[in-house]
Amino acid sequence: MDTSRNVVKRHQFADYLNTQTADTPNYCLMGVGFTSLNEEPGAQTESKKYVNEKASSKSVTGYETVFPFESDLIPEQEPILALYNVGRNHYTGSEAEFEYVRVELWDPAKGKENEFSARKFIVSAEISEVSGDTDIQVSGNLNAVGDPIDGTFNTKTKTFTAATASAGTGV
């Protein structure tokens, strides 16, 4: 079977939000209740044209990553309730920040059971709307704060392990 055309499906990404504020993380799967959760890397660019050139050259200078989301308000789903409470209680600053891990289930870690490539972000939760005529939805953005940390995530123990420089990641 030719696997060179296998397109990664949305269910092959798993998203986890740390809902614990104390020292022990509590990574909860952002699944049931979430109707969309996407990644927008937000590449920032700069153009430059030299006097001897007809066309400009564009370089990537940074990123402003955003994860827009929409969810049904299901109080039993911890990540949804945690995000709802940010908007409800008008949290700001560090009170509105979470650890967020995006796991690539299509990229298992070599020789490790239940571990997959992952990136951990600190995100600030921007709740833009709580609305609905029948079912109530919560929507907004998870805005990346700083650079992501590359590593692996164990979906059974729900632990993130940062990559080491010796692994060739440069982290």
Side-chain angles (χ1 to χ4, degrees):
M1 181 171 134
D2 181 11
T3 59
S4 65
R5 295 179 184 244
N6 287 345
V7 177
V8 174
K9 306 290 188 235
R10 177 58 183 95
H11 72 272
Q12 291 176 292
F13 280 95
D15 302 273
Y16 289 85
L17 192 71
N18 180 6
T19 60
Q20 189 67 24
T21 55
D23 294 334
T24 306
N26 182 33
Y27 286 104
C28 298
L29 179 64
M30 300 168 79
V32 171
F34 283 88
T35 56
S36 71
L37 177 55
N38 300 305
E39 179 175 356
E40 297 175 2
Q44 304 298 298
T45 60
E46 178 179 87
S47 292
K48 187 170 275 196
K49 181 176 169 264
Y50 293 106
V51 296
N52 65 326
E53 298 175 331
K54 289 182 181 179
S56 296
S57 297
K58 195 174 265 195
S59 299
V60 175
T61 59
Y63 290 89
E64 290 182 11
T65 304
V66 175
F67 300 92
F69 72 90
E70 291 183 359
S71 67
D72 293 329
L73 180 55
I74 302 174
E76 294 79 17
Q77 294 297 318
E78 283 187 61
I80 295 172
L81 190 58
L83 295 171
Y84 167 76
N85 282 332
V86 168
R88 179 194 182 280
N89 299 327
H90 293 201
Y91 292 154
T92 60
S94 62
E95 287 184 317
E97 291 181 353
F98 297 89
E99 290 180 342
Y100 165 72
V101 178
R102 184 150 246 228
V103 182
E104 298 163 348
L105 298 174
W106 48 271
D107 190 11
K110 290 183 173 99
K112 296 183 179 179
E113 193 173 336
N114 301 312
E115 279 200 36
F116 303 88
S117 292
R119 292 168 295 148
K120 181 168 79 169
F121 297 82
I122 300 299
V123 294
S124 64
E126 169 195 339
I127 308 308
S128 57
E129 194 168 6
V130 177
S131 63
D133 293 331
T134 52
D135 293 344
I136 299 298
Q137 286 84 39
V138 178
S139 59
N141 295 309
L142 302 177
N143 302 304
V145 177
D147 293 326
I149 300 170
D150 198 34
T152 60
F153 189 81
N154 186 306
T155 55
K156 188 170 185 166
T157 62
K158 296 182 182 176
T159 54
F160 177 84
T161 304
T164 60
S166 62
T169 62
V171 176

